[in-house]
Amino acid sequence: MFRRLLIATVLVASTAGIASAQTRVTFLMRNGERIVGDLTYKGGSEYTLNGRDIPASEVAVIAFVSNDPSPAEVSRVPTVDNNPSELERHVFVTRDGSMVFGKLYRFSPDGNIITFDQREGGRHDVAASNMARIYINPAAARVVYGPILAAVNPSASSAAVGTSGANVRVPGNTWVNTGFNVRRGETLRFNATGDVMWSGNAVDRATPGGSPTGNRPGLPPVANARGGALIARIDNGQPFLIGNQGSVRMPASGTLFLGINDDVLTDNTGDFFVTISR
C-alpha cells in the first residue's frame, strides 16, 4: 500500500485571521542547549531568535509547544542523516500527532506560517499554531532526546536477565522476537503504550487496543481484532490478540513474538512499547 500522508484542511494556513505577533518557540540545539524566544525569519539558512541569527546547522529541533515529544514520536525520527534526499531532510510533527517528511522552504517573516515541500508531493502552508515540532537535524535530535527513549528502554528486544519480565519495543512494520519463553496455560500481564499508523489512511492510527474507528485490513492475522492492534504468536503459531486486555493466557509453549494486526507491514510507522510480566 502506497502511503501518502496528507495534511488535513484544518491545518493549512491562510493569511486571514493569523495574528501578526511573532511566534514563540524553543530552539533545541545540537549541544542540548534550549533557547526560548520569538522567531523571525529573514531568509536563507539562518533562523532569527530574539534578534540573534542562528545557523540551521546548529539547531536540532524547533519546538512550537512546551512539552517534550513522546517516546513513540522520538522512535520514529531517523537515527542517522545518511545523506537524505532533499524531500526527506526535515521531519514535521503537527499538534494532532501526524508526522510528515519534507523540506522546510521558509517561514513567514513573523514566523506564523511555515511553508514546506512534502515528500509525497506538493507545497504546503501550515500555521505555526498547528505545528508541534520541526526536526531540523533529525539524527542530532535523536541524540538530544535520547533520555526520553532510555526512560522506557525501547531498544530492548529480548527479556531482561531472569524470567520474570521483559521490556520490548514493537515497531509497526515487523514482528519482534521478545526472547521471552512462555508455558502453555500461564497468564502474562501486558502494559502497552504508543501508537502506529497501519495504512495510508489518515484515520488508521492505532493504539495497542487497535483502530478507534474499528477499521480492519483486508486479511488481518487476527480476524476479530481491530486493525493495528497489538498481537502475539508463539514461535510460528497462530497469532492471537494482546490489545489492551492487560492479562492474557498463553495458548502454547515456546518463544513469544509481538506484532501488529495488519496484513501488509512494510508501509507501517510508529511503535508500541510493551512491558511483559508474570
Side-chain angles (χ1 to χ4, degrees), residues 27-49:
F27 276 23
L28 181 60
M29 309 301 287
R30 296 179 73 123
N31 63 4
E33 179 186 5
R34 295 178 186 244
I35 307 172
V36 179
D38 295 322
L39 173 66
T40 56
Y41 184 62
K42 304 174 184 175
S45 59
E46 292 185 333
Y47 312 127
T48 303
L49 197 65

Side-chain angles (χ1 to χ4, degrees), residues 49-69:
L49 197 65
N50 298 331
R52 170 188 168 189
D53 294 332
I54 301 176
S57 59
E58 296 179 10
V59 181
V61 181
I62 299 177
F64 299 82
V65 293
S66 59
N67 58 296
D68 279 341

